[in-house]
Amino acid sequence: MNAKRLTTPKENVQQLQEKLGHAAKESKKRRFHALYDKVYRMDILWEAWRRVRANKGAAGVDGETLSDIEKQGEHHFLQECHRILKEGNYHPQPVRRHYIPKKDGKQRPLGIPTVRDRVIQMATKMVIEPIFETDFQESSFGFRPKKSAKQALDRIRKACNRKGNWVVDVDIQGYFDNINQEKLMKLVEMRVSDKRILKLIQKWLNAGVMEEGKARRSDLGTPQGGVISPLLANIYLNYFDILWGRHGDGIGELTRYADDFVVVCKTRKDAERAYELIHAIMERLELTLHPTKTRFVGLWTGKEGFDFLGMHHRKTKAETSEGRVYYTTQQWLTRKAEERIREVVKERLAPPNMRHKSLLEHVNWLNPKIQGWRNYYYTAYSQRKMAKLDWYILQRFARWYAKKRQRRRWMSSFREIKILTSQFGLKTLL
């Protein structure tokens, strides 16, 4: 007789998720009451730890890093998580506030929960996500399994090509910081009746932010940077998606990626009606549209376009083989995306302390990034921009090489570096 093969934690999670997803699909009104004991199951915690570790990330307010936990022993750490959850003694710590400088001189706040909080949030997310997934709409693409930004871009392109000549480009002001927690919890309760799960989510919402040694709590928003935040944000805006499906479907086609969304309409009148409906639903959710970033875009002349998910969208003239002129929607990477790529390359190759590294080390570091950029940004209409960026990358390599060889002029190294990077297998965007 064959011995039964032991399943891995990953397989166990998949089985559980399929079961919960199927049950949620069977009955759209079912509320789940026995979920908490699944969160502290050791196989679930092991898979949660694997995913958190794969995401890397810094330490939270307790200073404990991923490598600290590996040194102390992962099993011991997860046993402790299991124990405090089972006994009901788990209390999350405030999120560590960290600021990233933005181009305009402002700072983007980031929240970094402790590793323990990230693992427990991940375990909870894995258990409740399949239940809510069955309720999410076709128009929603952000932070969802088997959904991607590329699919969202494809949906927009097709909507624009189906006589979509007007776009309502929407920006919600400070979305993650302004979610009404009470309303969010009511939306969660529509599917989850397990009081201990609800209490867990409430604890994360109340944990607050640690800034300059002081913990600050807020009645608004979700813990940014928290593993569970994107799911909670999707649950909140799913209310918008459902209402749009009921009242706005005939006006325009919605495509949403987290808190960014566009509605593609056929006429200016439809776009104005769409805006009014968006505004009304947002008022119910107690959210505000950004006054300057939310705008109408007329695509039909080809003079205007809009940026969404790192791509610029614009209608341009094209010709059939018989010479018939028509308009088609083209997508290419935005100026912001171009600048970001240049920045990453420059930050790697320009600093003096990078001169001691070998050419192969730089090529190996950049190759996965170049591959990722190509996979995402490459379209037939991005080719010119991609060629320019390829030239920029080679130029940066030539500057680095000239400095390493203590040559005064980098242009004299250009041909040599072109041959060398090719030999070392540097990937290209084009």
Side-chain angles (χ1 to χ4, degrees):
M1 249 172 80
N2 286 339
K4 196 182 173 191
R5 187 178 75 83
L6 288 171
T7 53
T8 64
K10 189 179 178 179
E11 287 168 329
N12 290 351
V13 167
Q14 279 170 341
Q15 282 169 14
L16 174 69
Q17 289 183 326
E18 277 166 24
K19 225 179 191 169
L20 289 166
H22 184 70
K25 214 173 194 169
E26 287 280 281
S27 168
K28 288 286 182 186
K29 289 200 161 52
R30 178 172 171 183
R31 295 171 75 221
F32 290 76
H33 65 275
L35 298 171
Y36 187 79
D37 57 337
K38 293 166 181 64
V39 172
Y40 62 75
R41 252 171 50 179
M42 280 306 287
D43 53 350
I44 304 278
L45 288 170
W46 269 109
E47 177 59 13
W49 161 250
R50 190 190 67 79
R51 293 187 190 188
V52 167
R53 194 181 48 194
N55 290 339
K56 300 190 169 73
V61 291
D62 61 356
E64 192 171 45
T65 63
L66 293 161
S67 55
D68 288 339
I69 289 162
E70 283 167 351
K71 278 177 206 151
Q72 292 158 19
E74 299 159 334
H75 189 73
H76 171 73
F77 167 76
L78 294 173
Q79 282 282 8
E80 188 60 14
C81 291
H82 168 82
R83 186 186 64 75
I84 57 172
L85 281 167
K86 193 175 180 181
E87 292 171 3
N89 292 329
Y90 166 66
H91 300 289
Q93 291 184 271
V95 165
R96 178 167 73 86
R97 180 67 94 210
H98 175 67
Y99 288 95
I100 293 173
K102 282 165 74 175
K103 269 271 166 64
D104 55 11
K106 290 179 184 169
Q107 298 210 307
R108 185 194 300 280
L110 265 192
I112 306 170
T114 65
V115 177
R116 170 165 292 157
D117 291 338
R118 296 208 293 272
V119 168
I120 293 172
Q121 282 189 25
M122 181 66 85
T124 308
K125 176 183 176 267
M126 292 189 313
V127 171
I128 68 170
E129 185 173 55
I131 296 165
F132 290 99
E133 261 300 310
T134 59
D135 299 336
F136 291 161
Q137 306 299 296
E138 279 297 303
S139 54
S140 163
F141 293 86
F143 306 108
R144 291 184 60 193
K146 296 177 186 157
K147 292 273 194 172
S148 70
K150 291 285 269 188
Q151 291 171 333
L153 291 167
D154 201 42
R155 179 180 165 99
I156 290 166
R157 185 181 54 78
K158 285 174 180 167
C160 291
N161 282 342
R162 282 194 300 271
K163 295 184 180 167
N165 288 322
W166 284 89
V167 171
V168 188
D169 183 6
V170 180
D171 187 278
I172 303 170
Q173 209 160 1
Y175 173 59
F176 286 89
D177 295 330
N178 289 300
I179 291 173
N180 181 306
Q181 292 179 1
E182 209 179 310
K183 286 185 176 175
L184 171 62
M185 288 310 295
K186 281 199 167 77
L187 291 167
V188 174
E189 282 166 31
M190 286 174 84
R191 274 307 208 167
V192 175
S193 58
D194 188 327
K195 288 215 161 34
R196 291 184 298 173
I197 290 277
L198 297 171
K199 202 173 164 189
L200 208 49
I201 294 169
Q202 194 67 63
K203 277 180 179 179
W204 288 319
L205 294 175
N206 296 341
V209 170
M210 181 71 81
E211 207 165 0
E212 293 171 2
K214 286 181 187 162
R216 193 168 43 78
R217 283 167 179 79
S218 171
D219 300 332
L220 284 175
T222 66
Q224 252 187 343
V227 175
I228 204 154
S229 286
L231 174 61
L232 295 178
N234 269 336
I235 291 168
Y236 199 66
L237 276 183
N238 188 50
Y239 177 83
F240 170 81
D241 298 342
I242 290 168
L243 285 187
W244 181 268
R246 271 186 217 151
H247 307 290
D249 238 12
I251 307 170
E253 189 170 311
L254 166 72
T255 304
R256 182 173 70 78
Y257 193 95
D259 59 324
D260 284 330
F261 63 92
V262 294
V263 177
V264 180
C265 306
K266 289 187 177 171
T267 65
R268 167 93 198 192
K269 200 178 172 186
D270 281 345
E272 284 166 357
R273 281 171 65 208
Y275 176 80
E276 280 165 26
L277 180 57
I278 293 163
H279 196 272
I281 304 172
M282 287 300 158
E283 275 192 336
R284 276 202 201 180
L285 287 167
E286 294 182 38
L287 294 169
T288 312
L289 298 179
H290 198 291
T292 53
K293 290 183 184 172
T294 300
R295 62 192 192 108
F296 296 111
V297 184
L299 294 176
W300 58 281
T301 59
K303 286 179 186 160
E304 262 192 304
F306 65 97
D307 293 348
F308 189 71
L309 298 177
M311 297 296 263
H312 183 73
H313 306 68
R314 192 180 286 253
K315 281 203 175 181
T316 51
K317 273 183 189 171
E319 238 177 80
T320 65
S321 50
E322 292 90 45
R324 190 174 61 82
V325 173
Y326 67 100
Y327 276 91
T328 185
T329 309
Q330 297 188 355
Q331 294 170 323
W332 58 80
L333 74 167
T334 62
R335 185 174 286 148
K336 213 173 174 181
E338 269 186 86
E339 283 170 7
R340 181 76 198 116
I341 290 171
R342 286 171 193 265
E343 238 169 65
V344 169
V345 175
K346 189 178 176 180
E347 278 170 17
R348 175 69 188 185
L349 296 173
N353 64 343
M354 284 296 173
R355 283 171 210 160
H356 71 278
K357 289 198 182 289
S358 69
L359 181 60
L360 184 61
E361 279 177 289
H362 286 311
V363 167
N364 288 344
W365 189 88
L366 275 168
N367 268 350
K369 288 183 168 44
I370 293 169
Q371 188 63 55
W373 292 328
R374 186 189 156 85
N375 292 348
Y376 188 76
Y377 293 114
Y378 181 86
T379 70
Y381 311 107
S382 278
Q383 287 179 353
R384 216 177 77 242
K385 288 176 183 291
M386 295 298 221
K388 268 181 160 175
L389 286 166
D390 274 335
W391 190 87
Y392 178 80
I393 292 167
L394 277 179
Q395 179 198 324
R396 274 284 148 208
F397 264 110
R399 285 173 185 272
W400 166 82
Y401 192 66
K403 289 263 171 38
K404 192 179 174 76
R405 292 271 179 273
Q406 295 180 338
R407 294 174 185 166
R408 284 176 66 188
R409 295 177 56 151
W410 65 268
M411 277 303 284
S412 57
S413 304
F414 197 83
R415 266 192 65 194
E416 196 181 337
I417 204 74
K418 202 174 176 184
I419 294 161
L420 284 170
T421 51
S422 172
Q423 283 171 355
F424 280 106
L426 178 70
K427 291 183 187 255
T428 59
L429 290 162
L430 197 56

